[in-house]
Amino acid sequence: MNRTPRLYALVEELRAAAPRSLTVAALAARFEVSTRTVQRDLQALMEAGVPVRTTTGRGGGWSIDPAMTLPPIGFTAEEAAALVAALAAADASAAPYSGAVRTASQKIAASMTGSASTAARQLAARIFALPARTPDSVRTAVEQALTDSTVLRLSYVDAAGQASDRTVEPAGLLTADGKWYVIAWCRTRQAGRGFRLDRITAAYPTGEQAQRHDLADLLIGSTAADSGQPTALAPLVSPP
């Protein structure tokens, strides 16, 4: 078994055994590899953010937090392919939270079975992407500011190539034509503004709490005034 499928299979093996632990020796025997190979694979999963953990002593071994994993999901082959395409686009397009996409993909892959799993892996092997232009530090600062509702200082280059420094209160995100925009109240301009993510050259968190701004209000009068909530997000926005 090649390494990538084995990593997925390792996660599924640990998930099926949870909350019990499995020893490295048992996992090595299960996948017919050396204990050193299993140790490397488990370390790679940890570094990727998969919630695997090890305990020492009698009865110890490796386990995975069942609360942090997905149960088996009945994806169709088409749904699995759609997920692969969406994950690839999010990871490659300088999208916010693209770092978390990688750990989410591990969990989704581990939950797939049968034809859905086969379709997803076959399509994933045929997708390539150019590197994103937005620095990781910028994405991380924007993500944190949106999560914590805090003020950001930005260095920004507009469409005309004009550089400026702004202090902004992020309200949300807008996506259009494959580009991502941070919609914010700009203290520098005293107005709502959209900042294209790949034109932000630096972002500095201030720790200062931002005021709550309604995203729709900030979009009024802009070219994005007719934007709406993506239908795919409706199940997440609507209460269960």
Side-chain angles (χ1 to χ4, degrees), residues 27-66:
L27 291 168
R30 167 69 178 81
F31 295 105
E32 300 179 343
V33 295
S34 69
T35 55
R36 180 177 294 183
T37 296
V38 170
Q39 288 278 20
R40 283 200 301 263
D41 288 349
L42 290 167
Q43 187 64 38
L45 290 172
M46 287 185 69
E47 291 172 358
V50 179
V52 295
R53 57 196 178 193
T54 181
T55 53
T56 58
R58 187 179 180 85
W62 286 83
S63 61
I64 190 166
D65 184 354

Side-chain angles (χ1 to χ4, degrees), residues 2-240:
N2 291 332
R3 192 185 193 202
T4 299
R6 189 175 63 246
L7 289 175
Y8 295 141
L10 264 173
V11 172
E12 181 61 19
E13 193 76 11
L14 292 170
R15 191 193 63 76
R20 292 186 299 108
S21 297
L22 296 176
T23 65
V24 170
L27 291 168
R30 167 69 178 81
F31 295 105
E32 300 179 343
V33 295
S34 69
T35 55
R36 180 177 294 183
T37 296
V38 170
Q39 288 278 20
R40 283 200 301 263
D41 288 349
L42 290 167
Q43 187 64 38
L45 290 172
M46 287 185 69
E47 291 172 358
V50 179
V52 295
R53 57 196 178 193
T54 181
T55 53
T56 58
R58 187 179 180 85
W62 286 83
S63 61
I64 190 166
D65 184 354
M68 296 294 291
T69 62
L70 292 168
I73 300 175
F75 291 121
T76 66
E78 287 185 346
E79 289 168 342
L83 277 171
V84 169
L87 289 167
D91 189 34
S93 65
Y97 307 100
S98 57
V101 163
R102 294 163 200 148
T103 55
S105 66
Q106 290 270 7
K107 296 177 183 180
I108 292 171
S111 75
M112 291 182 182
T113 58
S115 61
S117 178
T118 301
R121 292 189 173 100
Q122 287 178 346
L123 178 59
R126 299 198 297 272
I127 294 179
F128 287 77
L130 293 171
R133 290 185 295 172
T134 303
D136 288 344
S137 59
V138 168
R139 284 202 300 270
T140 300
V142 168
E143 292 164 11
Q144 200 63 49
L146 285 166
T147 300
D148 298 340
S149 296
T150 51
V151 177
L152 270 180
R153 289 200 307 272
L154 303 180
S155 295
Y156 188 72
V157 179
D158 64 19
Q162 184 70 36
S164 63
D165 293 322
R166 309 289 187 94
T167 300
V168 304
E169 300 176 7
L173 298 167
L174 173 75
T175 181
D177 299 324
K179 304 296 183 183
W180 283 89
Y181 300 80
V182 181
I183 307 302
W185 175 259
C186 179
R187 289 182 175 179
T188 309
R189 298 290 187 265
Q190 286 295 296
R193 289 289 188 270
F195 300 92
R196 213 171 90 177
L197 194 58
D198 61 355
R199 289 181 180 155
I200 300 174
T201 58
Y204 307 99
T206 66
E208 179 188 350
Q209 200 67 29
Q211 293 186 38
R212 290 280 183 177
H213 297 277
D214 186 88
L215 184 60
D217 289 343
L218 295 184
L219 291 172
I220 291 174
S222 74
T223 56
D226 293 332
S227 62
Q229 193 78 42
T231 55
L233 297 182
L236 297 173
V237 176
S238 303

